[in-house]
């Protein structure tokens, strides 16, 4: 059965990755978790109130204004990037700006052609259909989408074998918004059918601090600017993680202090939760330590890192590596992954160690 919902989209969708984050890792996972119950109510309600992703907001503001003035549906859009950066939120805001319905589902929920067909025929003109994890679509579903996206037509095969025939049903002009953490896993014909493709980027310190302050205000948590900055520094460039850390620190400040989130309070609480000063957790540190201690800083293959940390390679590639690369702790090279001088310094290794290891590699 296809899961489709207009109100509480993400919480009803199946877990975004095949493997659930372990409790120790969950706090710093960008993936949505069952305990993120308040996330929906914290979402900004207008593109204007949305903090960060400035270029994308500009592009979308122009696109929605133009589509509205022509009375047309928006072009199909594809958003990609690590989890927790706002793909769903921005899509919901688009529907609001356009004044149309927002229908949400996720690829793993679309098991049979009937599922996608049922959703498509129920759409009204200009509606936004959001498909999460679009790289996981079944082949048959994907092929139905090709004609739906391009010709606004639903081709259904009726019957089997020699007596089967195709019936075409016209569809209203709708907008498909696809979201994925894995752009490269999308079939080229699907990619080519999106008029606008945009990668969501990690948020900088200033943006995350603003988000933490905004959420504190909504949740009525007393917070000092330094406290918000401390949380922002450890949030891996990801608003969903920033808001989750804020809730943990708030609990700590209420129990151990007077309720106000100060910098010292945030630091102590996040150390207790094993979130280090750059937002690394056990697995991030383990990945880097294995590279440095067992492989002279790399290059190391992804499978080796997966075996050594007990994570699956997809999670390392989609969840851990993007942030480690963003903060310049890890590089992907043709020969494998390498730890950078910043990673050595952060983990407390002597700077000379990397030079010595590189000399040994040349020898
Ligand atoms: N809450 C989560 N992400 C946000 C964002 N980008 N702007 C404002 N509030 C948010």
């Amino acid at each position: 059965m296809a899961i489709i919902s207009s109100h509480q989209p993400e919480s009803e969708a199946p877990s975004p990755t095949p493997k659930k984050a372990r409790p120790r890792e969950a706090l710093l996972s960008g993936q949505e978790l069952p305990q993120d119950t308040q996330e929906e109510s914290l979402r900004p309600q207008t593109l204007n109130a949305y903090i960060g992703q400035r270029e994308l907001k500009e592009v979308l503001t122009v696109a929605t204004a133009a589509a509205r003035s022509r009375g047309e549906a928006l072009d199909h859009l594809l958003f990609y990037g690590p989890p927790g950066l706002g793909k769903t939120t921005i899509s919901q805001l688009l529907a609001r700006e356009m004044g149309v319905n927002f229908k949400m589902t996720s690829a793993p929920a679309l098991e049979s052609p009937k599922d996608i067909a049922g959703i498509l025929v129920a759409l009204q003109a200009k509606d936004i259909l959001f498909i999460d994890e679009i790289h996981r679509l079944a082949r048959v579903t994907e092929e139905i989408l090709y004609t739906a996206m391009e010709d606004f037509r639903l081709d259904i095969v009726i019957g089997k074998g020699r007596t089967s025939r195709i019936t075409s049903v016209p569809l209203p002009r709708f907008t498909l918004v696809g979201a994925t953490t894995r752009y490269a896993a999308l079939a080229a014909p699907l990619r080519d059918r999106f008029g606008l493709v945009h990668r969501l980027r990690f948020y900088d310190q200033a943006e995350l601090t603003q988000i933490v302050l905004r959420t504190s205000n909504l949740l009525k948590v007393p917070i000092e600017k330094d406290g918000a900055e401390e949380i922002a520094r450890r949030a891996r460039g990801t608003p969903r993680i920033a808001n989750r850390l804020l809730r943990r620190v708030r609990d700590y400040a209420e129990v151990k202090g007077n309720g106000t989130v100060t910098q010292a309070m945030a630091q102590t609480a996040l150390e207790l939760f094993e979130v280090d000063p750059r937002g690394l957790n056990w697995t991030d540190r383990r990945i880097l330590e294995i590279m440095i201690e067992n492989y002279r800083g790399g290059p190391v293959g992804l499978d080796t890192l997966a075996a050594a940390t007990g994570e699956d390679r997809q999670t390392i590639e989609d969840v851990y590596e993007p942030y480690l690369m963003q903060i310049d702790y890890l590089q992907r090279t043709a020969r494998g992954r390498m730890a950078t001088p910043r990673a050595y310094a952060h983990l407390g290794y002597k700077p000379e160690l990397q030079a010595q290891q590189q000399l040994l590699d040349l020898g």
Side-chain angles (χ1 to χ4, degrees):
M1 200 13 226
I3 296 175
I4 185 148
S5 150
S6 319
H7 339 278
Q8 278 219 305
E10 285 181 317
S11 54
E12 287 188 33
S15 160
T17 52
K19 190 166 172 246
K20 282 215 181 77
R22 294 182 292 244
R24 181 158 60 167
E25 314 295 296
L27 195 58
L28 290 177
S29 153
Q31 294 152 16
E32 195 180 10
L33 302 168
Q35 60 265 38
D36 294 333
T37 46
Q38 283 173 321
E39 187 166 7
E40 198 69 25
S41 62
L42 297 176
R43 290 186 201 276
Q45 301 296 309
T46 61
L47 265 183
N48 240 343
Y50 192 95
I51 297 159
Q53 308 293 346
R54 198 167 47 84
E55 308 83 28
L56 176 58
K57 273 191 331 192
E58 256 172 53
V59 169
L60 295 179
T61 305
V62 172
T64 47
R68 267 208 319 256
S69 79
R70 290 195 300 261
E72 289 176 2
L74 275 176
D75 272 354
H76 303 306
L77 298 155
L78 180 68
F79 294 143
Y80 69 98
L85 299 186
K87 295 186 281 291
T88 310
T89 307
I90 289 183
S91 306
Q92 283 172 329
L93 291 178
L94 273 182
R96 269 178 181 262
E97 300 278 323
M98 290 293 292
V100 300
N101 298 311
F102 181 78
K103 300 284 161 84
M104 162 145 183
T105 186
S106 85
L110 301 171
E111 285 171 2
S112 84
K114 264 191 278 179
D115 295 328
I116 188 69
I119 291 171
L120 289 171
V121 297
L123 291 174
Q124 294 173 20
K126 299 181 226 166
D127 277 359
I128 290 186
L129 170 60
F130 179 85
I131 304 185
D132 204 5
E133 295 186 78
I134 195 156
H135 62 278
R136 294 176 66 188
L137 280 180
R139 189 62 192 264
V140 277
T141 306
E142 195 169 307
E143 279 170 6
I144 291 174
L145 273 182
Y146 291 163
T147 38
M149 289 170 79
E150 197 156 279
D151 305 324
F152 299 97
R153 199 180 78 222
L154 174 64
D155 288 342
I156 317 170
V157 182
I158 298 177
K160 279 205 174 117
R162 286 181 48 212
T163 58
S164 73
R165 61 197 165 81
I166 293 183
T167 300
S168 287
V169 181
L171 295 171
R173 289 192 164 259
F174 68 100
T175 301
L176 180 71
V177 180
T180 180
T181 49
R182 307 192 50 212
Y183 179 71
L186 242 67
L190 183 58
R191 262 189 248 165
D192 293 346
R193 283 173 168 79
F194 289 97
L196 200 152
V197 177
H198 196 97
R199 181 169 73 93
L200 276 83
R201 59 168 190 79
F202 285 111
Y203 294 65
D204 65 26
Q205 285 306 307
E207 292 163 346
L208 285 172
T209 303
Q210 255 187 294
I211 291 172
V212 171
L213 291 171
R214 174 184 177 273
T215 306
S216 310
N217 190 32
L218 289 174
L219 297 178
K220 308 212 176 345
V221 179
I223 190 165
E224 290 177 2
K225 176 116 191 280
D226 290 356
E229 282 167 351
E230 190 61 44
I231 293 173
R233 250 192 304 281
R234 298 182 188 225
R236 308 176 74 88
T238 307
R240 178 178 286 154
I241 297 176
N243 286 340
R244 199 182 285 151
L245 295 184
L246 171 65
R247 278 186 237 117
R248 293 288 71 76
V249 175
R250 169 185 63 176
D251 291 350
Y252 189 85
E254 281 173 4
V255 174
K256 300 279 189 182
N258 63 3
T260 298
V261 175
T262 61
Q263 182 177 19
M265 198 57 86
Q267 244 169 26
T268 319
L270 294 174
E271 268 159 33
L272 178 72
F273 292 115
E274 297 180 22
V275 179
D276 92 356
R278 287 306 302 267
L280 305 197
N281 67 9
W282 182 86
T283 306
D284 296 299
R285 299 174 68 93
R286 192 76 197 118
I287 289 171
L288 297 171
E289 279 164 9
I290 286 166
M291 293 168 88
I292 294 170
E293 291 188 7
N294 302 4
Y295 297 91
R296 297 179 193 162
V300 193
L302 186 55
D303 287 322
T304 308
L305 290 176
T309 54
E311 268 308 337
D312 57 43
R313 52 177 285 149
Q314 213 59 68
T315 307
I316 294 185
E317 212 171 10
D318 298 346
V319 178
Y320 290 98
E321 283 188 347
Y323 180 66
L324 292 174
M325 291 196 299
Q326 166 74 19
I327 60 174
D328 192 24
Y329 281 17
L330 180 144
Q331 283 171 350
R332 272 187 203 159
T333 71
R335 292 188 303 146
R337 275 67 177 163
M338 315 250 327
T340 67
R342 279 179 211 265
Y344 279 71
H346 181 75
L347 294 179
Y349 293 101
K350 291 205 190 86
E352 304 89 77
L353 178 63
Q354 192 182 27
Q356 287 164 4
Q357 288 180 331
Q358 280 170 355
L359 277 178
L360 283 173
D361 261 352
L362 292 175

